[in-house]
Amino acid sequence: MTDTPRFDLTLLLLALLTAFGPLSIDMYLPAFGVIADSFARTPHDVELSLTAFFLGLCIGQLLYGTVADRFGRKPPLYVGLTLYIISSLALAYAASLESFILWRFVQAIGSCAGLVIARAMVRDMYTPQASAQVFSWLILVMGIAPIVAPLMGAAITTHFGWRSMFGLLALLASLCLIVMNWQLRETRAADPRVRLRSSLRIYAQILCDRSFIRYALPGGIAQSGMFAYITASPLLFIDYFKISLQHYGWLFAVNAIGIISMAQFNAWLLRRYPADRILRRAMALLAMISVSLACLGGMDSPMWALLIGVFFYVSTLGVVFPNAMAGSLAAQQKRAGAASALTGSLQFLVAGSVSAIVSFWGRHQPFAMIYMIAMCGLLAWLLYLLLRPESVRLKHIC
Protein backbone atom coordinates (compact mmCIF):
# COMPACT_ATOMS: atom_id res chain seq x y z
CA MET A 1 0.00 0.00 0.00
CA THR A 2 1.41 3.39 -0.98
CA ASP A 3 0.72 7.03 -0.21
CA THR A 4 2.40 8.36 -3.39
CA PRO A 5 0.08 7.51 -6.31
CA ARG A 6 1.11 7.79 -9.94
CA PHE A 7 -1.25 7.95 -12.90
CA ASP A 8 -0.23 4.89 -14.92
CA LEU A 9 -1.77 2.28 -17.21
CA THR A 10 -3.38 0.47 -14.28
CA LEU A 11 -5.21 3.59 -13.12
CA LEU A 12 -6.26 4.36 -16.69
CA LEU A 13 -7.76 0.88 -17.04
CA LEU A 14 -9.55 1.18 -13.68
CA ALA A 15 -10.99 4.50 -14.82
CA LEU A 16 -12.23 2.94 -18.05
CA LEU A 17 -13.90 0.14 -16.09
CA THR A 18 -15.77 2.66 -13.95
CA ALA A 19 -16.75 4.65 -17.05
CA PHE A 20 -19.08 1.98 -18.49
CA GLY A 21 -21.87 2.96 -16.11
CA PRO A 22 -21.81 6.70 -16.95
CA LEU A 23 -21.25 5.94 -20.63
CA SER A 24 -24.29 3.66 -20.73
CA ILE A 25 -26.39 6.38 -19.11
CA ASP A 26 -25.23 9.46 -20.99
CA MET A 27 -24.91 8.16 -24.54
CA TYR A 28 -28.59 7.41 -25.15
CA LEU A 29 -30.09 10.48 -23.46
CA PRO A 30 -30.34 12.56 -26.67
CA ALA A 31 -32.13 9.64 -28.35
CA PHE A 32 -35.05 9.43 -25.89
CA GLY A 33 -37.49 10.88 -28.40
CA VAL A 34 -36.26 8.70 -31.27
CA ILE A 35 -36.41 5.55 -29.16
CA ALA A 36 -39.93 6.48 -28.03
CA ASP A 37 -41.03 6.93 -31.65
CA SER A 38 -39.54 3.59 -32.72
CA PHE A 39 -41.61 1.80 -30.05
CA ALA A 40 -44.66 4.05 -30.55
CA ARG A 41 -44.43 5.27 -26.96
CA THR A 42 -43.75 8.57 -25.16
CA PRO A 43 -40.38 9.90 -23.90
CA HIS A 44 -41.74 9.59 -20.35
CA ASP A 45 -42.13 5.85 -20.97
CA VAL A 46 -38.51 5.62 -22.15
CA GLU A 47 -37.43 7.31 -18.91
CA LEU A 48 -38.40 4.09 -17.15
CA SER A 49 -35.40 2.44 -18.81
CA LEU A 50 -33.18 4.90 -16.96
CA THR A 51 -34.92 4.12 -13.68
CA ALA A 52 -34.41 0.39 -14.42
CA PHE A 53 -30.72 1.04 -15.02
CA PHE A 54 -30.38 2.82 -11.67
CA LEU A 55 -32.18 -0.08 -9.97
CA GLY A 56 -29.78 -2.52 -11.63
CA LEU A 57 -26.82 -0.47 -10.43
CA CYS A 58 -28.21 -0.58 -6.91
CA ILE A 59 -28.82 -4.35 -6.82
CA GLY A 60 -25.87 -5.41 -8.94
CA GLN A 61 -23.23 -3.77 -6.79
CA LEU A 62 -24.36 -5.77 -3.77
CA LEU A 63 -23.91 -8.95 -5.80
CA TYR A 64 -20.26 -8.22 -6.53
CA GLY A 65 -19.18 -6.92 -3.11
CA THR A 66 -18.47 -10.04 -1.05
CA VAL A 67 -17.80 -12.04 -4.24
CA ALA A 68 -14.81 -9.75 -4.92
CA ASP A 69 -13.56 -10.28 -1.35
CA ARG A 70 -14.04 -14.07 -1.61
CA PHE A 71 -12.68 -14.87 -5.10
CA GLY A 72 -10.34 -11.93 -5.72
CA ARG A 73 -10.89 -8.89 -7.89
CA LYS A 74 -10.43 -10.14 -11.44
CA PRO A 75 -12.82 -13.15 -11.73
CA PRO A 76 -15.96 -11.05 -11.04
CA LEU A 77 -14.72 -8.54 -13.61
CA TYR A 78 -14.69 -11.23 -16.30
CA VAL A 79 -18.26 -12.20 -15.43
CA GLY A 80 -19.54 -8.62 -15.28
CA LEU A 81 -18.00 -7.51 -18.59
CA THR A 82 -19.29 -10.62 -20.36
CA LEU A 83 -22.81 -9.93 -19.07
CA TYR A 84 -22.47 -6.30 -20.19
CA ILE A 85 -21.50 -7.36 -23.72
CA ILE A 86 -24.42 -9.81 -24.04
CA SER A 87 -27.01 -7.32 -22.75
CA SER A 88 -25.70 -4.51 -24.98
CA LEU A 89 -26.14 -6.70 -28.04
CA ALA A 90 -29.65 -7.64 -26.84
CA LEU A 91 -30.51 -3.94 -26.52
CA ALA A 92 -29.42 -3.34 -30.09
CA TYR A 93 -32.05 -5.85 -31.24
CA ALA A 94 -34.82 -5.14 -28.70
CA ALA A 95 -38.26 -5.59 -30.27
CA SER A 96 -40.35 -3.78 -27.65
CA LEU A 97 -39.93 -1.14 -24.98
CA GLU A 98 -40.60 -3.73 -22.28
CA SER A 99 -37.71 -5.92 -23.45
CA PHE A 100 -35.57 -2.79 -23.84
CA ILE A 101 -36.21 -1.85 -20.18
CA LEU A 102 -35.47 -5.41 -19.03
CA TRP A 103 -32.13 -5.58 -20.86
CA ARG A 104 -31.18 -2.13 -19.52
CA PHE A 105 -31.58 -3.61 -16.05
CA VAL A 106 -29.30 -6.53 -17.00
CA GLN A 107 -26.79 -4.18 -18.64
CA ALA A 108 -26.59 -2.19 -15.40
CA ILE A 109 -25.79 -5.34 -13.41
CA GLY A 110 -22.97 -6.09 -15.84
CA SER A 111 -21.54 -2.58 -15.58
CA CYS A 112 -21.51 -2.82 -11.76
CA ALA A 113 -18.46 -5.08 -11.81
CA GLY A 114 -16.23 -2.24 -12.99
CA LEU A 115 -17.74 0.27 -10.58
CA VAL A 116 -17.36 -1.91 -7.47
CA ILE A 117 -14.07 -3.65 -8.14
CA ALA A 118 -12.15 -0.63 -9.45
CA ARG A 119 -12.89 1.24 -6.21
CA ALA A 120 -11.93 -1.79 -4.12
CA MET A 121 -8.64 -2.15 -6.03
CA VAL A 122 -7.83 1.49 -5.33
CA ARG A 123 -8.40 0.83 -1.62
CA ASP A 124 -6.18 -2.27 -1.87
CA MET A 125 -3.30 -0.28 -3.33
CA TYR A 126 -3.40 3.12 -1.59
CA THR A 127 -3.76 4.77 1.81
CA PRO A 128 -7.01 6.70 2.54
CA GLN A 129 -5.49 10.13 1.81
CA ALA A 130 -3.84 8.86 -1.38
CA SER A 131 -7.01 7.06 -2.47
CA ALA A 132 -8.92 10.36 -2.37
CA GLN A 133 -6.35 11.74 -4.81
CA VAL A 134 -6.67 8.63 -7.01
CA PHE A 135 -10.46 8.96 -7.09
CA SER A 136 -9.96 12.54 -8.29
CA TRP A 137 -7.83 11.21 -11.13
CA LEU A 138 -10.41 8.56 -11.97
CA ILE A 139 -12.99 11.31 -12.35
CA LEU A 140 -10.71 12.89 -14.97
CA VAL A 141 -11.17 9.83 -17.22
CA MET A 142 -14.73 9.07 -16.09
CA GLY A 143 -15.65 12.69 -16.80
CA ILE A 144 -14.78 12.28 -20.46
CA ALA A 145 -17.87 10.03 -20.78
CA PRO A 146 -20.40 12.83 -20.07
CA ILE A 147 -18.53 15.05 -22.55
CA VAL A 148 -18.18 12.58 -25.39
CA ALA A 149 -21.18 10.29 -24.82
CA PRO A 150 -24.10 12.68 -25.54
CA LEU A 151 -22.28 14.08 -28.57
CA MET A 152 -21.56 10.57 -29.84
CA GLY A 153 -25.10 9.48 -29.05
CA ALA A 154 -26.61 12.38 -30.98
CA ALA A 155 -24.30 11.81 -33.97
CA ILE A 156 -24.81 8.03 -34.04
CA THR A 157 -28.59 8.37 -33.69
CA THR A 158 -28.69 10.91 -36.52
CA HIS A 159 -26.52 8.96 -38.97
CA PHE A 160 -26.82 5.27 -38.01
CA GLY A 161 -29.86 4.93 -35.74
CA TRP A 162 -30.08 4.53 -31.99
CA ARG A 163 -29.53 0.76 -32.02
CA SER A 164 -25.96 1.26 -33.25
CA MET A 165 -25.06 2.88 -29.93
CA PHE A 166 -25.48 -0.37 -28.05
CA GLY A 167 -23.44 -2.29 -30.61
CA LEU A 168 -20.64 0.22 -30.05
CA LEU A 169 -20.86 -0.26 -26.27
CA ALA A 170 -20.55 -4.03 -26.73
CA LEU A 171 -17.44 -3.51 -28.86
CA LEU A 172 -15.82 -1.18 -26.31
CA ALA A 173 -16.49 -3.64 -23.48
CA SER A 174 -14.95 -6.47 -25.54
CA LEU A 175 -11.76 -4.47 -26.11
CA CYS A 176 -11.60 -3.57 -22.42
CA LEU A 177 -11.96 -7.24 -21.48
CA ILE A 178 -9.00 -8.17 -23.69
CA VAL A 179 -6.75 -5.41 -22.33
CA MET A 180 -7.74 -6.20 -18.73
CA ASN A 181 -6.74 -9.83 -19.19
CA TRP A 182 -3.24 -8.82 -20.24
CA GLN A 183 -2.51 -5.69 -18.24
CA LEU A 184 -4.44 -5.67 -14.94
CA ARG A 185 -2.78 -7.46 -12.03
CA GLU A 186 -4.71 -9.02 -9.17
CA THR A 187 -4.63 -6.86 -6.01
CA ARG A 188 -6.24 -9.31 -3.59
CA ALA A 189 -5.93 -13.07 -3.51
CA ALA A 190 -8.98 -15.26 -3.05
CA ASP A 191 -9.93 -15.58 0.62
CA PRO A 192 -11.83 -18.78 1.53
CA ARG A 193 -12.57 -17.33 4.97
CA VAL A 194 -15.10 -14.93 3.38
CA ARG A 195 -18.45 -16.69 3.33
CA LEU A 196 -20.93 -15.60 0.68
CA ARG A 197 -23.83 -16.70 2.86
CA SER A 198 -22.65 -14.11 5.39
CA SER A 199 -23.07 -11.26 2.88
CA LEU A 200 -26.12 -9.77 4.56
CA ARG A 201 -24.41 -9.84 7.95
CA ILE A 202 -21.31 -8.16 6.53
CA TYR A 203 -23.37 -5.45 4.86
CA ALA A 204 -25.33 -4.91 8.08
CA GLN A 205 -22.09 -4.50 10.04
CA ILE A 206 -20.80 -1.93 7.57
CA LEU A 207 -24.09 -0.03 7.62
CA CYS A 208 -23.90 0.17 11.40
CA ASP A 209 -20.39 1.61 11.25
CA ARG A 210 -20.68 5.35 11.80
CA SER A 211 -17.31 5.96 10.09
CA PHE A 212 -18.83 4.48 6.92
CA ILE A 213 -22.33 5.94 6.94
CA ARG A 214 -21.27 9.53 7.71
CA TYR A 215 -19.53 9.69 4.32
CA ALA A 216 -21.46 7.24 2.15
CA LEU A 217 -24.99 8.54 2.78
CA PRO A 218 -24.43 12.33 2.38
CA GLY A 219 -22.14 11.67 -0.58
CA GLY A 220 -24.75 9.47 -2.26
CA ILE A 221 -27.55 11.98 -1.74
CA ALA A 222 -25.40 14.83 -3.07
CA GLN A 223 -24.54 12.79 -6.16
CA SER A 224 -28.21 11.93 -6.73
CA GLY A 225 -28.78 15.58 -7.61
CA MET A 226 -26.67 14.96 -10.70
CA PHE A 227 -28.84 11.96 -11.59
CA ALA A 228 -31.94 14.14 -11.30
CA TYR A 229 -30.25 16.31 -13.94
CA ILE A 230 -29.42 13.27 -16.08
CA THR A 231 -33.01 11.98 -15.93
CA ALA A 232 -34.97 15.18 -16.49
CA SER A 233 -32.63 17.43 -18.48
CA PRO A 234 -33.69 16.06 -21.92
CA LEU A 235 -37.31 17.00 -21.24
CA LEU A 236 -36.48 20.38 -19.71
CA PHE A 237 -33.97 21.55 -22.29
CA ILE A 238 -35.03 19.70 -25.46
CA ASP A 239 -38.81 19.64 -25.01
CA TYR A 240 -39.45 22.73 -22.85
CA PHE A 241 -36.70 25.12 -24.00
CA LYS A 242 -36.60 23.61 -27.54
CA ILE A 243 -32.84 23.25 -27.99
CA SER A 244 -31.42 20.82 -30.59
CA LEU A 245 -29.90 17.41 -29.89
CA GLN A 246 -26.42 18.72 -30.75
CA HIS A 247 -26.74 21.74 -28.46
CA TYR A 248 -27.99 19.51 -25.66
CA GLY A 249 -24.85 17.41 -26.02
CA TRP A 250 -22.71 20.52 -25.60
CA LEU A 251 -24.62 21.53 -22.45
CA PHE A 252 -23.77 18.13 -21.01
CA ALA A 253 -20.15 18.57 -22.03
CA VAL A 254 -19.83 21.91 -20.20
CA ASN A 255 -21.01 20.35 -16.95
CA ALA A 256 -18.61 17.45 -17.40
CA ILE A 257 -15.73 19.87 -17.89
CA GLY A 258 -16.75 21.55 -14.63
CA ILE A 259 -16.69 18.34 -12.59
CA ILE A 260 -13.38 17.25 -14.15
CA SER A 261 -11.76 20.61 -13.40
CA MET A 262 -12.92 20.60 -9.79
CA ALA A 263 -11.78 17.00 -9.33
CA GLN A 264 -8.28 17.96 -10.43
CA PHE A 265 -8.40 21.01 -8.16
CA ASN A 266 -9.34 18.62 -5.37
CA ALA A 267 -6.28 16.47 -6.14
CA TRP A 268 -4.15 19.63 -5.75
CA LEU A 269 -5.88 20.52 -2.46
CA LEU A 270 -5.27 17.02 -1.08
CA ARG A 271 -1.53 17.59 -1.24
CA ARG A 272 -1.99 20.48 1.23
CA TYR A 273 -5.07 19.80 3.38
CA PRO A 274 -6.81 16.78 4.99
CA ALA A 275 -9.66 15.27 2.97
CA ASP A 276 -12.15 15.83 5.82
CA ARG A 277 -11.49 19.56 5.91
CA ILE A 278 -11.94 19.85 2.15
CA LEU A 279 -15.17 17.85 2.24
CA ARG A 280 -16.62 20.00 5.03
CA ARG A 281 -16.12 23.19 3.00
CA ALA A 282 -17.41 21.58 -0.21
CA MET A 283 -20.62 20.42 1.51
CA ALA A 284 -21.29 23.94 2.80
CA LEU A 285 -20.73 25.34 -0.70
CA LEU A 286 -23.11 22.73 -2.14
CA ALA A 287 -25.82 23.83 0.32
CA MET A 288 -25.46 27.48 -0.74
CA ILE A 289 -25.68 26.54 -4.42
CA SER A 290 -28.80 24.45 -3.68
CA VAL A 291 -30.55 27.40 -2.03
CA SER A 292 -29.71 29.55 -5.07
CA LEU A 293 -31.11 26.90 -7.43
CA ALA A 294 -34.37 26.70 -5.49
CA CYS A 295 -34.72 30.48 -5.75
CA LEU A 296 -34.02 30.40 -9.50
CA GLY A 297 -36.69 27.76 -10.02
CA GLY A 298 -39.22 29.70 -7.96
CA MET A 299 -38.63 32.84 -10.01
CA ASP A 300 -39.28 31.00 -13.32
CA SER A 301 -35.77 31.99 -14.44
CA PRO A 302 -34.52 31.85 -18.05
CA MET A 303 -32.55 28.86 -19.30
CA TRP A 304 -29.12 30.51 -19.01
CA ALA A 305 -29.61 31.22 -15.30
CA LEU A 306 -30.67 27.63 -14.60
CA LEU A 307 -27.68 26.32 -16.55
CA ILE A 308 -25.27 28.39 -14.44
CA GLY A 309 -26.78 27.07 -11.21
CA VAL A 310 -26.66 23.45 -12.39
CA PHE A 311 -23.07 23.94 -13.59
CA PHE A 312 -21.90 25.06 -10.15
CA TYR A 313 -23.75 22.20 -8.44
CA VAL A 314 -22.34 19.49 -10.70
CA SER A 315 -18.85 20.99 -10.60
CA THR A 316 -18.81 20.97 -6.80
CA LEU A 317 -19.46 17.22 -6.89
CA GLY A 318 -15.92 16.91 -8.29
CA VAL A 319 -14.72 17.78 -4.78
CA VAL A 320 -17.48 16.09 -2.78
CA PHE A 321 -17.45 12.67 -4.47
CA PRO A 322 -13.75 11.60 -4.22
CA ASN A 323 -13.40 12.72 -0.60
CA ALA A 324 -16.69 11.13 0.47
CA MET A 325 -15.76 7.88 -1.31
CA ALA A 326 -12.30 7.77 0.29
CA GLY A 327 -13.82 8.50 3.70
CA SER A 328 -16.40 5.72 3.42
CA LEU A 329 -13.71 3.13 2.55
CA ALA A 330 -10.99 4.40 4.92
CA ALA A 331 -11.79 2.04 7.81
CA GLN A 332 -12.85 -0.91 5.62
CA GLN A 333 -9.58 -2.33 4.34
CA LYS A 334 -10.46 -5.99 5.08
CA ARG A 335 -13.97 -5.51 3.65
CA ALA A 336 -13.11 -3.10 0.85
CA GLY A 337 -15.07 -5.02 -1.78
CA ALA A 338 -18.23 -5.19 0.33
CA ALA A 339 -17.88 -1.56 1.45
CA SER A 340 -17.33 -0.39 -2.13
CA ALA A 341 -20.42 -2.30 -3.24
CA LEU A 342 -22.53 -0.95 -0.41
CA THR A 343 -21.38 2.62 -1.07
CA GLY A 344 -22.34 2.39 -4.72
CA SER A 345 -25.58 0.59 -3.95
CA LEU A 346 -26.65 3.30 -1.50
CA GLN A 347 -25.82 5.97 -4.05
CA PHE A 348 -27.85 4.39 -6.81
CA LEU A 349 -30.72 3.42 -4.53
CA VAL A 350 -31.11 7.11 -3.80
CA ALA A 351 -30.42 7.99 -7.45
CA GLY A 352 -33.06 5.55 -8.67
CA SER A 353 -35.62 6.94 -6.24
CA VAL A 354 -34.80 10.49 -7.28
CA SER A 355 -34.98 9.48 -10.95
CA ALA A 356 -38.46 7.99 -10.52
CA ILE A 357 -39.73 10.99 -8.49
CA VAL A 358 -38.40 13.62 -10.87
CA SER A 359 -39.76 11.68 -13.86
CA PHE A 360 -43.27 11.66 -12.39
CA TRP A 361 -43.02 15.22 -11.04
CA GLY A 362 -41.74 16.48 -14.39
CA ARG A 363 -45.06 15.57 -16.05
CA HIS A 364 -46.69 18.38 -14.04
CA GLN A 365 -43.85 20.80 -13.21
CA PRO A 366 -41.27 21.74 -15.89
CA PHE A 367 -38.74 22.88 -13.26
CA ALA A 368 -39.04 19.69 -11.17
CA MET A 369 -35.40 18.89 -11.94
CA ILE A 370 -34.21 22.18 -10.45
CA TYR A 371 -36.17 21.73 -7.23
CA MET A 372 -35.01 18.12 -6.84
CA ILE A 373 -31.34 19.05 -7.28
CA ALA A 374 -31.73 21.74 -4.61
CA MET A 375 -33.39 19.28 -2.23
CA CYS A 376 -30.59 16.75 -2.70
CA GLY A 377 -27.86 19.29 -1.98
CA LEU A 378 -29.52 20.63 1.16
CA LEU A 379 -30.34 17.19 2.54
CA ALA A 380 -26.77 15.96 1.93
CA TRP A 381 -25.35 18.94 3.84
CA LEU A 382 -27.78 18.50 6.76
CA LEU A 383 -26.98 14.78 7.09
CA TYR A 384 -23.26 15.48 6.92
CA LEU A 385 -23.64 17.90 9.85
CA LEU A 386 -25.80 15.50 11.87
CA LEU A 387 -23.39 12.58 11.38
CA ARG A 388 -20.25 14.42 12.46
CA PRO A 389 -18.26 12.80 15.33
CA GLU A 390 -19.32 15.54 17.72
CA SER A 391 -22.97 14.92 16.73
CA VAL A 392 -22.84 11.10 16.85
CA ARG A 393 -20.74 10.10 19.85
CA LEU A 394 -21.10 6.36 19.58
CA LYS A 395 -18.63 4.46 17.42
CA HIS A 396 -21.47 2.50 15.86
CA ILE A 397 -24.94 3.65 14.96
CA CYS A 398 -26.71 0.31 15.55
Side-chain angles (χ1 to χ4, degrees):
M1 187 177 294
T2 180
D3 58 358
T4 55
R6 294 183 300 108
F7 193 89
D8 54 15
L9 181 60
T10 297
L11 289 186
L12 177 61
L13 185 55
L14 292 178
L16 291 175
L17 288 171
T18 60
F20 277 107
L23 194 65
S24 303
I25 294 169
D26 300 333
M27 182 176 284
Y28 90 130
L29 293 178
F32 267 23
V34 179
I35 295 173
D37 291 341
S38 69
F39 292 129
R41 307 291 281 271
T42 70
H44 285 292
D45 294 328
V46 179
E47 279 184 350
L48 292 175
S49 66
L50 191 57
T51 301
F53 195 88
F54 290 150
L55 181 61
L57 289 174
C58 173
I59 295 173
Q61 293 188 71
L62 294 177
L63 298 177
Y64 291 107
T66 49
V67 171
D69 290 335
R70 167 63 180 84
F71 296 103
R73 308 307 191 202
K74 290 186 69 174
L77 275 176
Y78 289 121
V79 174
L81 282 176
T82 301
L83 186 61
Y84 183 89
I85 293 167
I86 293 171
S87 57
S88 297
L89 292 174
L91 283 163
Y93 292 96
S96 67
L97 181 60
E98 288 73 20
S99 64
F100 182 83
I101 292 172
L102 174 62
W103 282 111
R104 282 288 287 174
F105 175 79
V106 177
Q107 186 189 41
I109 291 178
S111 72
C112 287
L115 287 170
V116 171
I117 296 169
R119 291 191 299 249
M121 294 180 84
V122 169
R123 185 63 189 89
D124 292 339
M125 294 186 289
Y126 300 101
T127 62
Q129 182 77 7
S131 64
Q133 186 173 349
V134 172
F135 286 130
S136 296
W137 288 344
L138 295 187
I139 289 178
L140 175 63
V141 178
M142 287 173 61
I144 295 175
I147 295 176
V148 175
L151 299 175
M152 287 178 57
I156 292 172
T157 300
T158 301
H159 297 290
F160 303 102
W162 64 266
R163 295 179 185 274
S164 303
M165 285 188 290
F166 296 100
L168 177 61
L169 288 173
L171 177 61
L172 291 175
S174 301
L175 293 175
C176 194
L177 185 63
I178 294 170
V179 175
M180 183 199 79
N181 184 56
W182 289 342
Q183 298 294 332
L184 189 63
R185 67 178 180 85
E186 182 62 83
T187 60
R188 175 178 170 133
D191 187 354
R193 294 172 298 176
V194 178
R195 303 296 181 185
L196 297 182
R197 63 176 176 268
S198 301
S199 297
L200 291 179
R201 178 177 55 82
I202 293 171
Y203 287 137
Q205 290 173 348
I206 296 172
L207 277 174
C208 290
D209 189 339
R210 190 265 307 163
S211 66
F212 171 83
I213 206 69
R214 73 176 292 247
Y215 294 104
L217 187 56
I221 292 173
Q223 192 182 22
S224 67
M226 182 174 69
F227 287 102
Y229 167 72
I230 290 171
T231 300
S233 59
L235 296 177
L236 178 61
F237 296 123
I238 296 175
D239 292 353
Y240 184 79
F241 285 114
K242 305 300 182 184
I243 68 171
S244 66
L245 290 179
Q246 287 74 19
H247 287 158
Y248 171 79
W250 285 112
L251 294 181
F252 229 78
V254 168
N255 286 315
I257 291 171
I259 196 172
I260 290 172
S261 301
M262 290 300 290
Q264 303 323 297
F265 178 58
N266 181 64
W268 179 83
L269 289 174
L270 285 165
R271 293 194 289 268
R272 292 159 177 81
Y273 305 103
D276 271 348
R277 182 178 175 185
I278 299 169
L279 181 59
R280 184 170 63 250
R281 302 290 174 83
M283 280 292 193
L285 176 60
L286 199 68
M288 290 189 288
I289 295 170
S290 298
V291 172
S292 301
L293 270 173
C295 294
L296 288 172
M299 294 186 296
D300 199 22
S301 301
M303 185 178 72
W304 64 266
L306 300 176
L307 287 172
I308 291 174
V310 171
F311 172 81
F312 281 114
Y313 184 98
V314 173
S315 297
T316 305
L317 293 179
V319 178
V320 170
F321 174 74
N323 295 311
M325 177 61 68
S328 67
L329 300 181
Q332 308 294 333
Q333 182 177 353
K334 294 182 180 180
R335 310 180 291 196
S340 172
L342 193 55
T343 301
S345 184
L346 279 174
Q347 290 173 348
F348 286 104
L349 175 63
V350 177
S353 302
V354 166
S355 172
I357 292 170
V358 79
S359 178
F360 176 78
W361 193 5
R363 298 171 187 261
H364 312 285
Q365 167 56 256
F367 289 170
M369 179 193 84
I370 302 299
Y371 296 129
M372 183 59 70
I373 293 174
M375 291 167 60
C376 290
L378 285 172
L379 182 58
W381 175 66
L382 289 173
L383 283 174
Y384 181 74
L385 292 180
L386 291 172
L387 294 170
R388 288 179 303 176
E390 56 269 32
S391 298
V392 181
R393 302 192 177 198
L394 297 176
K395 183 178 180 181
H396 290 78
I397 293 175
C398 301

